[in-house]
Amino acid sequence: MKTNNLAYRVNLITIIAVYFLILVGGIVRSMGAGMGCPDWPKCFGSYVPPTDEAALPEGYEQIYVDSRIKKNTRLSNTLAALGFDQLSEKVSNDPNIREVTRFDVQKAWVEYVNRLVGVIIGILIVLNLAFSWKYWKVNKKVVLLSVFSFILVLFQGWIGSLVVSTNLLPGFISFHMMLALLLVCLLVTQGFLMKEQSGQQIWGRALLLLIFALFAIQIVLGVQVREEIDWIKSMTDLVRSEWLEEVGLIFYVHRSYSLVLTGLIGWFAYSNWKNGTLSFSIKLLVGVVIAEIVLGIVLTYAGMPAFAQPIHLLLASVAFGAIFYLFLCTNLRVKNS
């Protein structure tokens, strides 16, 4: 199948943009700016956030709380009707939903930039869908994956609105993150099918599948650690360097679990080196994992510096995508010249 270079470039740019959004989202969380805009899709009632609190109406704090309560009442009723009684009760009774959001110009604009990047990705996803139609006659999977990506982005936007309306309810934040990684997998698969592949076949399909599954669990554990830290940060007066001490068992599981993953990835890389199939993608994965370990050490022993948190999340996401891409490559067959 001949590669359409323009369609492939759009797909690649979209993947890079999604990773950039993950980085920006990590910055938003590390700055505590997730509720920088208390409404969605607008920010304090405007498509461009105000620069001064004086521009807001008197009593604006309660106005947005009341609006959030109404939206969450509808959401709670819908969840109950679908049989998600526990989640419905959690949404309706979470005290954070009634928490007042005061205007902070820095946090408002950080969250606004996060949303602008999301809009750009939406545009790229539409372009990705449009250009992929050229593959309809040669590989319908390419088109179907672009359609699924488009639907997922719409769903992701809706989940993003729920993250705001529930005042960063932890379960929705984790779900929001996992959907972003699912989008990466869809786009990577689409790009893989677009590109005419050749070269050495990568060894270790079963091992890579195991690594992929375990790495997904590790990311979930990391997100849960992040949620615990958010709770500690909002409910206590502890300084940044003391947060990890209060997280408890899940942090130690997350840290120890990384040693298992590092060993498996090292064995995978060594086995491919031994078989003469050590590709650039494998070297990239090993480099990202090493950088991730270094950042984990910095976060643990250097008082959790704010700059390291979003980079830690980004590298984990890049490693996840690289593992998935390598798994796809295990289906390749060497093309004889």
Side-chain angles (χ1 to χ4, degrees):
M1 181 179 68
K2 186 177 180 180
T3 304
N4 185 296
N5 289 329
L6 182 57
Y8 181 74
R9 283 198 294 269
V10 170
N11 173 268
L12 183 60
I13 291 170
T14 305
I15 293 171
I16 294 171
V18 171
Y19 276 126
F20 182 67
L21 181 60
I22 290 173
L23 174 63
V24 173
I27 294 172
V28 168
R29 292 196 70 183
S30 67
M31 291 183 61
M35 287 302 292
C37 298
D39 48 341
W40 192 96
K42 295 182 179 181
C43 184
F44 285 100
S46 175
Y47 287 110
V48 178
T51 57
D52 195 291
E53 190 172 10
L56 298 172
E58 186 177 351
Y60 71 88
E61 301 97 334
Q62 192 58 44
I63 291 173
Y64 291 116
V65 169
D66 293 341
S67 175
R68 201 158 58 221
I69 291 172
K70 288 180 181 178
K71 186 170 184 177
N72 284 311
T73 299
R74 293 195 297 269
L75 174 62
S76 178
N77 292 337
T78 302
L79 290 171
L82 293 173
F84 298 104
D85 295 330
Q86 283 188 326
L87 183 57
S88 171
E89 185 176 347
K90 189 175 181 180
V91 168
S92 61
N93 295 329
D94 190 337
N96 290 330
I97 292 172
R98 292 164 176 78
E99 186 176 314
V100 169
T101 301
R102 293 298 304 268
F103 176 76
D104 183 308
V105 63
Q106 184 183 47
K107 291 182 179 180
W109 278 88
V110 168
E111 171 60 13
Y112 180 66
V113 170
N114 182 39
R115 295 183 185 186
L116 283 181
V117 176
V119 170
I120 292 171
I121 287 176
I123 294 171
L124 287 171
I125 285 291
V126 171
L127 291 175
N128 181 64
L129 175 61
F131 284 112
S132 71
W133 282 100
K134 296 180 180 180
Y135 285 87
W136 181 254
K137 292 183 179 179
V138 291
N139 194 338
K140 292 180 174 59
K141 291 180 181 178
V142 171
V143 182
L144 292 175
L145 285 165
S146 69
V147 172
F148 293 150
S149 297
F150 176 75
I151 295 171
L152 181 58
V153 166
L154 293 178
F155 182 64
Q156 180 79 313
W158 178 64
I159 294 297
S161 73
L162 297 184
V163 170
V164 174
S165 71
T166 58
N167 198 2
L168 310 179
L169 189 67
F172 280 119
I173 296 175
S174 300
F175 188 48
H176 197 51
M177 176 63 197
M178 298 314 294
L179 287 178
L181 294 178
L182 175 58
L183 179 60
V184 167
C185 290
L186 291 176
L187 291 170
V188 167
T189 305
Q190 181 189 344
F192 180 84
L193 294 175
M194 283 178 173
K195 191 71 173 174
E196 194 170 349
Q197 304 286 345
S198 63
Q200 294 175 316
Q201 183 183 9
I202 291 173
W203 176 90
R205 183 175 176 81
L207 177 58
L208 263 178
L209 182 60
L210 174 63
I211 292 172
F212 180 74
L214 294 178
F215 205 93
I217 295 172
Q218 175 71 331
I219 288 178
V220 172
L221 289 173
V223 171
Q224 290 178 340
V225 170
R226 177 71 240 190
E227 289 177 354
E228 286 292 320
I229 290 173
D230 287 343
W231 183 87
I232 291 167
K233 185 166 57 174
S234 64
M235 300 299 292
T236 68
D237 295 325
L238 295 175
V239 296
R240 181 179 288 272
S241 59
E242 297 174 330
W243 291 345
L244 279 179
E245 297 175 8
E246 298 298 319
V247 171
L249 179 62
I250 192 168
F251 165 68
Y252 296 103
V253 172
H254 177 64
R255 186 176 64 179
S256 302
Y257 192 73
S258 65
L259 298 177
V260 176
L261 275 171
T262 301
L264 289 173
I265 292 171
W267 175 252
F268 166 74
Y270 171 76
S271 299
N272 276 276
W273 172 75
K274 192 175 179 181
N275 286 300
T277 56
L278 188 63
S279 67
F280 171 78
S281 299
I282 298 176
K283 294 176 184 177
L284 176 65
L285 173 61
V286 172
V288 169
V289 169
I290 291 173
E292 185 75 332
I293 292 171
V294 171
L295 271 175
I297 293 172
V298 170
L299 284 166
T300 303
Y301 297 105
M304 289 199 69
F307 79 89
Q309 290 176 275
I311 299 176
H312 188 64
L313 174 63
L314 175 64
L315 290 179
S317 303
V318 170
F320 181 83
I323 293 166
F324 183 73
Y325 172 77
L326 287 167
F327 178 73
L328 296 176
C329 289
T330 57
N331 269 334
L332 292 179
R333 294 294 181 267
V334 179
K335 292 190 177 182
N336 297 319
S337 55

